[in-house]
Amino acid sequence: AGAVVLPSYSVFRAAAFMEFERYQLTATVDNLFDETYFQPLQGVYQEVSVLPGIGRTFRIKATVNF
């Protein structure tokens, strides 16, 4: 009784990969549409409090193979 009820949400991810001879490039986007969402706090307080989810995040990784 009295538990926090969270609205439903969908979080999308996208990724692109390219490879040129010895070079690799990876680009990713988490939370593609910048959805606002909340997650229950882990542990003892998971039924009484929430934390906001992470907003849109970009990552680029470059690799050279020798």
Side-chain angles (χ1 to χ4, degrees):
V4 175
V5 177
L6 300 174
S8 63
Y9 62 92
S10 296
V11 177
F12 294 89
R13 296 178 180 173
F17 307 93
M18 290 185 274
E19 189 170 335
F20 307 100
E21 298 175 6
R22 307 177 330 163
Y23 306 97
Q24 295 176 342
L25 184 65
T26 304
T28 60
V29 181
D30 291 332
N31 197 357
L32 183 62
F33 300 114
D34 203 19
E35 180 76 21
T36 300
Y37 65 97
F38 298 90
Q39 298 175 320
L41 188 62
Q42 298 297 319
V44 177
Y45 301 107
Q46 66 189 15
E47 294 184 3
V48 294
S49 65
V50 296
L51 292 174
I54 297 172
R56 185 179 303 138
T57 305
F58 299 92
R59 277 190 292 272
I60 298 176
K61 177 183 173 184
T63 305
V64 178
N65 295 318
F66 295 96

